[in-house]
Amino acid sequence: MKNLIRSTTQLAMHFVSLYLRDGGTAIDATCGNGNDTIALLRSGAKEIYAFDIQQAAIERTKDALIKEGLYSDQVHLIQDSHEYMGAYIKKKVQAVVFNLGYLPAASKEIATCGETTVKAVKAALRLLAVNGLICITMYSGHPGGEEEKQQVLELARNLDQQAYHVAYINMLNQRNHPPEILLISLKRGVEIEKD
Ligand code: SAM
């Protein structure tokens, strides 16, 4: 077995894969180069909605999926901000992955930001199935990253404990702002207020 806590990415996807063992629909809220979209499909997702605001990211994800033989009519690539996911998805989803920040090897100026990320997480909460999982990987080392992380943590901290399980994973002994993982699972159906 690989050492699971060696890499945040690996650890995050391990958790997600446990929630996709019975299949279901997944959302990649920030598809970037397509690595998470591919991992979600390999983990068992039968249908996937992948969002990114950058055309280059949508193209890279499509190319990566084709290369891996995973591109099908069950893959929906959507060039739009993830806060609008509710306009595209009309069913409950088993897993939602956010990998925040900027696209590697592209402009660092196009990064997720706290205000829209919080709206997107609320949209994801509205779509989440009971016993589904939202997994958010957060990076605080780039401009705006710490503020974004704090806004997302504030939202998570205030979720009703009767309705949600929330876990927060921090690589405590790593230097230089290591990524952190936030996990949110729905225990029972609740209404999330509209913005
Ligand atoms: N999951 C990706 C992968 O596996 O390669 C990496 C994601 S990268 C860290 C973050 C991505 O979020 C970038 O591609 C960026 O364009 C995208 N992004 C930034 N703001 C966004 C928004 N409002 N809605 C959707 N995607 C956004």
Side-chain angles (χ1 to χ4, degrees), residues 50-71:
F51 293 84
D52 206 291
I53 41 168
Q54 293 193 67
Q55 189 183 346
I58 297 295
E59 284 167 6
R60 286 187 200 185
T61 299
K62 185 173 178 183
D63 290 347
L65 288 166
I66 291 170
K67 196 168 160 215
E68 296 298 321
L70 290 169
Y71 191 61

Side-chain angles (χ1 to χ4, degrees), residues 28-37 51-54 57 61 80-83 97-104 110-113 116-117 139:
D28 183 350
T30 52
C31 65
N33 288 325
N35 299 314
D36 291 324
T37 308
F51 293 84
D52 206 291
I53 41 168
Q54 293 193 67
T61 299
D80 201 349
S81 183
H82 42 210
E83 73 211 83
V97 168
F98 289 82
N99 197 337
L100 301 179
Y102 54 84
L103 184 61
I110 307 176
T112 56
C113 85
T116 45
T117 300
Y139 304 82

Side-chain angles (χ1 to χ4, degrees), residues 3-150:
N3 190 337
L4 255 189
I5 63 169
R6 185 175 58 90
S7 129
T8 318
T9 312
Q10 186 178 292
L11 183 58
M13 200 45 74
H14 175 73
F15 283 119
V16 176
S17 67
L18 298 175
Y19 286 76
L20 285 170
R21 274 197 298 217
D22 297 329
T25 301
I27 300 173
D28 183 350
T30 52
C31 65
N33 288 325
N35 299 314
D36 291 324
T37 308
I38 289 171
L40 285 164
L41 287 164
R42 292 218 168 110
S43 294
K46 297 287 179 244
E47 183 177 27
I48 188 151
Y49 292 83
F51 293 84
D52 206 291
I53 41 168
Q54 293 193 67
Q55 189 183 346
I58 297 295
E59 284 167 6
R60 286 187 200 185
T61 299
K62 185 173 178 183
D63 290 347
L65 288 166
I66 291 170
K67 196 168 160 215
E68 296 298 321
L70 290 169
Y71 191 61
S72 76
D73 59 2
Q74 295 305 296
V75 176
H76 313 284
L77 301 180
I78 301 160
Q79 188 189 346
D80 201 349
S81 183
H82 42 210
E83 73 211 83
Y84 304 121
M85 62 175 75
Y88 298 91
I89 307 169
K90 300 296 170 199
K91 57 174 75 167
K92 292 292 177 187
V93 303
Q94 194 58 27
V96 187
V97 168
F98 289 82
N99 197 337
L100 301 179
Y102 54 84
L103 184 61
S107 168
K108 293 190 179 172
E109 298 196 350
I110 307 176
T112 56
C113 85
E115 192 186 335
T116 45
T117 300
V118 164
K119 286 183 185 166
V121 175
K122 285 186 184 170
L125 288 168
R126 285 192 280 272
L127 291 169
L128 192 64
V130 172
N131 292 324
L133 184 75
I134 299 176
C135 176
I136 308 170
T137 303
M138 305 178 291
Y139 304 82
S140 55
H142 64 92
E146 177 63 28
E147 292 79 358
E148 177 179 46
K149 181 182 101 179
Q150 292 305 335

